[in-house]
Amino acid sequence: MININKLCKSFDNRKILENISFSVVKGECVFILGKSGVGKSVLLKNIVGLVLPDSGTITVGEIKVDAQRPEELSLIRQRCGLVFQFPALLDSVTVFENICFGLRARGLLTSQVEIAARVKEKLKLVGLSEVVLDQMPTELSFGTQKRVSIARTLAVEPEYLLFDEPTTGMDPIATAGLNQLIKNLTVKLGVTSIVVSHDIKSALAVGTRIILLEDGGIVFDGKPGEFKSSSITLAQEFQMGFGYHA
Amino acid sequence: MPSLSFLSTVGGMILFTWDCVLLTLQRKTKWHQVLDQIFQVGVRSLGLTVAAGLFVGAIMALQIDLQLKDFGAEAFLGGLSTSTTLRNIGPVLIAFLLSGKVGAYTSAELGTMEVTDQLNAIRLLGASPLEYIILPRIWAVVISSFLLLIVGLMVTIFGGIIFAEVIGVNSLNYIQNIPRIVTVWSIVLSVIKSFLFGAIIAVVSCYKGYHAKGGSVGVGIAVQSCAVTNLILIIITDFLLSMASSCLQDIFKVGYL
Amino acid sequence: MIMTWLGRALILKVGEFLATFFLWISTVLSMIKQLLKLKFRARETLLQMYLLGVQSVLIMVVAMGFVGLMLIIELAFHMNLVLKHDSLVPAFSALLMVRELGPVITCLLLTSRIGAGIAAEIGSMKISEQLDALKMLSIDPIDYLVVPRWIGSVFAAVTLTVISLAIAIWGGAFLAAQKLGTSPGEYFNTVFFFVKFPDLAHCIVKSAVFGSLIPIVAAYQGFNCGSDSAAVGEAATQAVVRTSLYIIIADFLLTYLFYAI
């Protein structure tokens, strides 16, 4: 369970997040929607301790996110996999090395056979062939890089998956595939996911819960069905812009 | 206040160096990665270093000859131009070029990693970017800049000899004059300078790249401030070392330090 | 294998050099055209003079001050070793400073201060398609971007060299009084006796040539910047490296020219 309590964050006197409180229970697939620049990505980076809040607390499971305790932070980062908006693959090593980086760094698997098997399994999961394994990240297309980046996050088998704008820059077919993947992970493997997005179509199709952010605060929190019938202006605008966004 | 921000940068770099020294003492350095990087950096920069050394040597031979003519002391050309080049002008000018080639390159590379979230990805996957990315690069840049500077300085001697011949100075006289003025201590001083300049280039470029922020524009800014900081620190260090050598000379009452 | 590699590398380098040289020529032509048509972008040019020149004064003064001090120490060492007395140190250091180190070190500093900046600026304009937008408005990027920077940089190089030389020689006077016991009057007398007009002219020509190289090489790297996230940093790096090397080579050629005359 991820618990966020009265989170505030501002950059250069500009308030980004103000008194954000919500909790995510196991098995949920939460979509956080909002316009560009509303602080969705900052919220995700707060959860894994890459950005530190001005005030407020975040707990993941039983552990409090606290930069002063590196061991606990490392444990949280192992439980929460974050998929960055841009692929963020290490461009000095091959795709294979990228995917097994977390396994090696954390010492989760030691035998080469097991590592190779795990890498291939995750690669299959994101719908890539094994041809890419020996290539360098820069040789791949953006969509493929992004899928490799998801495979890298999945390789350490985190309990919570945090996606930062997963479908941005991907074609409609890849988007549909990715939505299916998130749904499968939630339903079959019981992974809890938080997806930051402005893709309302994916949110309605995959999400079990939608949170809408506006001006640093939460304006809507509920099921996709309720979102459709919501009377909030921003929620209606999001749905009217449906055809445009897709 | 530009001077204040400069001082805070220097302070940040000292702490950064301290972290890296601690990590090295804990034997966290991956030496095979260091070797790999040294090879890459060295091969990439060897041509530039040799070209720079050749030209710097030639320029100094020309300049010193021009000046000695004014004073009627051409006989000392070989020794004087080689000694000035080895002790000062050579290390400084070649280090300037390397701070662009090696330093700016490293800070651009690390800056790109930072702004594309690669370093954050490493943090999330449970490794320390300082240990995994920065440490091998710092050592590689220190060692390869040092070796390149030494190579460059040797080439300056050849550049001097070749151009002395071109302007009609007997190269045999020129070479014979070198050991009369270039003492062992001068060579030691230039080796010390080379090492410190290499260390400055490594620390400044890694620090600036590691702290880059703000997209591709941020990388450009990191490269620029890395190059400027490198040059200023190299000049100040050069002065301090010359000063130290001169003070030692006064203390021990010897003429060759 | 190694010969083909060397050959390829050489051809690429020469090609790039020629392309940069053409950019230099077209910048000068375009400046002359602007002057003749009286459509001079005075405001932008003044702004660039300020950005490139005035804002670099502080670091130049600090750096060259240290160079001046260092030169006195080192030359005192050499003169004591060779001539057993140090009365010629002021003249020798001032000459070396005016003819060689003043222009070269000032312009190398200026390169890293403004060369990387110009390359990064034009590079990110290219990435964000601003250059294409300029072309759509039928504005010549060389006219609009390069000429003001070129004038600003030549101006900055020459003035900064003169200022930093003054600082360096003045700093030398201070250290000579402390270390060699040469009084400032004596010091400036020797300096003015040995440094003659041709030396100063040489210094100005050198710094003008170096200053005119900086924005051209940087702009060339910016115009040819790639499109990925690493490209802007790459362009800035290449601008610094290329300009520094060209400055060293130009310095050699100019010194040789001066020597031959």
Side-chain angles (χ1 to χ4, degrees):
Chain A
M1 181 166 141
I2 295 179
N3 200 344
I4 296 172
N5 192 15
K6 290 182 181 161
L7 180 74
C8 295
K9 178 74 196 171
S10 53
F11 287 113
D12 303 330
N13 300 325
R14 199 166 59 90
K15 284 192 173 164
I16 303 288
L17 299 173
E18 243 185 310
N19 267 334
I20 301 275
S21 305
F22 65 92
S23 45
V24 178
V25 293
K26 219 167 168 52
E28 270 191 311
C29 176
V30 182
F31 268 72
I32 300 178
L33 300 180
K35 291 186 203 160
S36 306
V38 78
K40 297 169 301 200
S41 305
V42 176
L43 183 58
L44 278 195
K45 287 190 175 175
N46 263 306
I47 296 176
V48 289
L50 286 177
V51 174
L52 298 176
D54 296 339
S55 65
T57 52
I58 300 172
T59 49
V60 175
E62 301 306 308
I63 313 167
K64 186 166 169 291
V65 178
D66 185 354
Q68 305 302 323
R69 298 184 180 165
E71 289 86 19
E72 293 185 356
L73 200 60
S74 164
L75 206 60
I76 288 174
R77 287 174 178 176
Q78 188 176 348
R79 285 188 178 182
C80 302
L82 171 61
V83 179
F84 290 94
Q85 183 174 0
F86 297 102
L89 298 174
L90 308 179
D91 39 39
S92 50
V93 291
T94 61
V95 167
F96 180 85
E97 290 294 327
N98 259 294
I99 298 180
C100 67
F101 188 92
L103 294 173
R104 294 225 169 110
R106 294 194 185 282
L108 295 179
L109 294 178
T110 42
S111 91
Q112 291 302 319
V113 186
E114 275 181 318
I115 290 181
R118 175 76 71 89
V119 169
K120 281 173 189 163
E121 179 201 333
K122 300 303 173 192
L123 205 63
K124 211 173 183 178
L125 207 58
V126 295
L128 289 176
S129 72
E130 290 174 17
V131 186
V132 298
L133 279 181
D134 294 324
Q135 285 177 304
M136 300 304 273
T138 44
E139 296 167 15
L140 306 174
S141 72
F142 182 79
T144 315
Q145 285 189 27
K146 204 141 176 180
R147 287 199 247 180
V148 172
S149 148
I150 294 170
R152 179 176 69 180
T153 310
L154 291 176
V156 292
E157 306 201 320
E159 291 169 48
Y160 305 95
L161 271 175
L162 316 175
F163 292 92
D164 192 356
E165 313 246 351
T167 52
T168 309
M170 286 174 119
D171 59 64
I173 303 167
T175 305
L178 185 62
N179 284 339
Q180 196 57 44
L181 174 69
I182 296 175
K183 199 165 189 172
N184 280 347
L185 288 171
T186 319
V187 176
K188 289 182 189 162
L189 301 176
V191 177
T192 312
S193 25
I194 301 179
V195 186
V196 154
S197 175
H198 44 232
D199 183 1
I200 178 76
K201 196 177 164 190
S202 308
L204 292 176
V206 182
T208 61
R209 179 179 162 195
I210 292 178
I211 291 176
L212 188 61
L213 292 183
E214 190 180 20
D215 295 333
I218 296 177
V219 289
F220 174 87
D221 184 352
K223 298 244 178 306
E226 297 165 23
F227 187 80
K228 279 184 189 165
S229 56
S230 162
S231 60
I232 298 165
T233 328
L234 187 65
Q236 287 173 350
E237 279 175 2
F238 254 92
Q239 290 178 71
M240 280 194 289
F242 188 93
Y244 178 72
H245 275 282
Chain B
M1 280 299 285
S3 50
L4 209 63
S5 80
F6 180 75
L7 284 182
S8 78
T9 308
V10 172
M13 279 187 297
I14 292 172
L15 290 178
F16 181 75
T17 317
W18 178 239
D19 282 349
C20 292
V21 169
L22 277 185
L23 278 176
T24 310
L25 290 180
Q26 290 163 12
R27 302 181 185 224
K28 291 279 177 65
T29 324
K30 297 182 173 63
W31 290 104
H32 61 96
Q33 274 190 27
V34 176
L35 272 179
D36 203 40
Q37 291 275 336
I38 289 177
F39 186 71
Q40 282 184 28
V41 173
V43 167
R44 209 174 50 223
S45 323
L46 195 62
L48 181 85
T49 316
V50 170
L54 218 53
F55 283 112
V56 170
I59 291 168
M60 287 314 289
L62 287 176
Q63 286 288 2
I64 300 282
D65 187 46
L66 210 55
Q67 280 180 222
L68 289 178
K69 264 184 189 160
D70 288 356
F71 303 104
E74 288 111 308
F76 297 108
L77 173 65
L80 215 51
S81 80
T82 312
S83 177
T84 330
T85 314
L86 283 187
R87 284 175 65 110
N88 281 102
I89 319 293
V92 170
L93 287 185
I94 297 172
F96 274 15
L97 280 162
L98 286 181
S99 89
K101 187 75 181 175
V102 182
Y105 182 90
T106 310
S107 71
E109 192 188 14
L110 291 175
T112 307
M113 285 186 164
E114 173 65 42
V115 301
T116 56
D117 273 337
Q118 291 184 41
L119 297 184
N120 272 340
I122 291 175
R123 286 189 190 106
L124 283 187
L125 293 168
S128 149
L130 206 62
E131 191 183 315
Y132 184 79
I133 299 283
I134 305 287
L135 205 56
R137 274 179 180 69
I138 278 207
W139 279 111
V141 174
V142 171
I143 296 169
S144 51
S145 309
F146 174 65
L147 294 177
L148 285 168
L149 268 167
I150 299 290
V151 171
L153 288 177
M154 287 184 198
V155 176
T156 58
I157 303 178
F158 287 105
I161 294 172
I162 293 168
F163 264 84
E165 189 69 43
V166 169
I167 58 176
V169 177
N170 188 341
S171 52
L172 213 62
N173 285 346
Y174 184 95
I175 296 170
Q176 276 174 349
N177 199 243
I178 295 177
R180 281 193 214 146
I181 297 180
V182 181
T183 59
V184 177
W185 289 108
S186 292
I187 294 171
V188 170
L189 182 69
S190 81
V191 168
I192 293 174
K193 277 187 177 172
S194 302
F195 179 76
L196 279 179
F197 292 170
I200 287 174
I201 293 174
V203 170
V204 171
S205 53
C206 287
Y207 177 84
K208 289 288 179 186
Y210 190 60
H211 289 89
K213 49 177 168 288
S216 55
V217 180
V219 181
I221 294 173
V223 169
Q224 181 191 357
S225 82
C226 156
V228 173
T229 317
N230 261 328
L231 263 50
I232 299 273
L233 286 182
I234 284 172
I235 287 179
I236 295 179
T237 314
D238 185 52
F239 164 71
L240 290 178
L241 281 175
S242 289
M243 191 81 193
S245 123
S246 149
C247 289
L248 284 177
Q249 190 178 317
D250 287 348
I251 293 169
F252 294 111
K253 306 279 181 226
V254 285
Y256 49 77
L257 263 177
Chain C
M1 208 285 266
I2 221 158
M3 284 313 286
T4 38
W5 179 79
L6 268 179
R8 273 177 64 89
L10 199 68
I11 289 168
L12 280 176
K13 290 262 159 41
V14 170
E16 201 186 297
F17 175 76
L18 286 179
T20 318
F21 188 65
F22 284 133
L23 184 61
W24 195 84
I25 301 269
S26 50
T27 308
V28 174
L29 286 181
S30 148
M31 186 190 69
I32 295 170
K33 204 172 70 194
Q34 279 189 13
L35 281 176
L36 288 181
K37 280 185 181 171
L38 291 176
K39 272 174 63 185
F40 201 58
R41 296 169 46 79
R43 202 184 157 73
E44 173 76 9
T45 309
L46 276 177
L47 179 70
Q48 290 299 333
M49 283 179 173
Y50 173 72
L51 288 178
L52 306 182
V54 179
Q55 294 212 329
S56 317
V57 169
L58 187 69
I59 54 167
M60 296 299 162
V61 166
V62 172
M64 288 304 284
F66 278 110
V67 172
L69 301 181
M70 174 274 280
L71 211 58
I72 292 283
I73 297 178
E74 279 299 312
L75 285 176
F77 162 79
H78 281 117
M79 289 298 152
N80 277 325
L81 202 64
V82 177
L83 303 173
K84 313 292 175 211
H85 64 90
D86 44 26
S87 58
L88 283 178
V89 171
F92 214 88
S93 81
L95 275 179
L96 197 57
M97 197 61 124
V98 171
R99 286 177 184 162
E100 174 66 28
L101 294 180
V104 171
I105 292 192
T106 311
C107 289
L108 284 177
L109 264 164
L110 201 63
T111 301
S112 53
R113 169 80 180 68
I114 68 177
I118 292 177
E121 192 186 0
I122 295 184
S124 48
M125 286 180 89
K126 165 149 191 205
I127 286 187
S128 55
E129 297 182 328
Q130 291 182 50
L131 290 184
D132 294 336
L134 280 182
K135 281 178 198 153
M136 291 304 291
L137 297 168
S138 67
I139 295 173
D140 182 11
I142 295 181
D143 241 17
Y144 185 79
L145 295 171
V146 186
V147 172
R149 283 169 182 72
W150 192 79
I151 299 173
S153 165
V154 173
F155 164 80
V158 174
T159 44
L160 288 174
T161 305
V162 172
I163 294 173
S164 53
L165 266 179
I167 295 288
I169 290 176
W170 184 77
F174 165 75
L175 196 70
Q178 294 293 317
K179 196 170 159 59
L180 312 175
T182 321
S183 76
E186 235 177 300
Y187 177 91
F188 283 111
N189 260 337
T190 359
V191 168
F192 290 136
F193 183 74
F194 277 99
V195 180
K196 297 189 190 72
F197 179 73
D199 299 319
L200 282 176
H202 183 54
C203 165
I204 302 284
V205 169
K206 265 190 178 176
S207 55
V209 169
F210 300 162
S212 80
L213 284 173
I214 299 170
I216 301 292
V217 181
Y220 176 80
Q221 296 295 340
F223 285 141
N224 290 293
C225 174
S227 59
D228 52 340
S229 55
V232 174
E234 178 86 356
T237 311
Q238 288 300 333
V240 174
V241 175
R242 289 278 183 282
T243 318
S244 313
L245 186 63
Y246 290 165
I247 284 181
I248 297 274
I249 295 175
D251 181 41
F252 167 71
L253 294 176
L254 286 173
T255 308
Y256 195 67
L257 197 69
F258 186 67
Y259 185 87
I261 296 171

